[in-house]
Amino acid sequence: MDETRDLLARHALEARDNAYAPYSKYAVGAALFASNGKIYTGCNVENAAYGLTNCAERTAIFSMVADGCQQIEAIAIATENSGSPCGSCRQVIAEFSADIPIYLVDADGNISDYTLYQLLPFHFGPQKLPT
Ligand code: THU
């Protein structure tokens, strides 16, 4: 598992280099390991109409789904200072995973370990919706 952790951290840092963040200047990269064995990456993509910004995590997840896979096994998120995923991204991760590892990576490559349900306890899920 340490191997996956390091690999994802490296990919997340690399993806961060592609961030388009001219407004916030806060570059974010994400890399996820999917159930099909592939790694998908993403970066934040901002817009002059600020509300259209897409977070790095969701960029990576949407890329996974577009490629035909719907299961995340682990995700790494790289920022300057170990920033943790926003509430929207936590919820979108939950849509496509169980209680997976979330690795927060800082610009020096230091990794801190969390799990999704630590960051998003009592989350909303499809079981509450009418059948
Ligand atoms: N951002 C992410 O990419 N992921 C998060 O989980 C938190 C925030 C981005 C959005 C915006 O481009 C910048 O970080 C500052 O909020």
Side-chain angles (χ1 to χ4, degrees):
M1 205 58 195
D2 262 15
E3 243 170 61
T4 309
R5 185 175 176 264
D6 293 345
L7 188 67
L8 284 181
R10 218 168 39 244
H11 276 84
L13 283 165
E14 269 176 37
R16 183 171 175 259
D17 290 338
N18 296 328
Y20 178 72
Y23 306 107
S24 74
K25 318 264 192 249
Y26 192 71
V28 186
L32 68 84
F33 185 59
S35 63
N36 62 1
K38 292 191 194 176
I39 289 175
Y40 296 90
T41 61
C43 59
N44 52 336
V45 182
E46 298 185 347
N47 193 281
Y50 296 165
L52 299 182
T53 292
N54 206 64
C55 290
E57 299 88 323
R58 280 177 290 150
T59 306
I61 293 165
F62 296 161
S63 173
M64 175 192 79
V65 173
D67 194 41
C69 183
Q70 299 183 351
Q71 188 70 35
I72 309 168
E73 304 291 347
I75 186 166
I77 300 151
T79 61
E80 178 62 35
N81 49 10
S82 304
S84 66
C86 76
S88 299
C89 286
R90 293 175 198 202
Q91 181 67 27
V92 175
I93 293 168
E95 183 73 22
F96 298 107
S97 79
D99 190 18
I100 57 161
I102 296 190
Y103 307 122
L104 303 186
V105 188
D106 73 14
D108 295 325
N110 299 304
I111 307 172
S112 14
D113 289 78
Y114 296 89
T115 72
L116 178 62
Y117 295 167
Q118 274 182 313
L119 301 183
L120 188 68
F122 199 56
H123 71 279
F124 184 78
Q127 72 282 358
K128 295 291 183 201
L129 296 172
T131 49

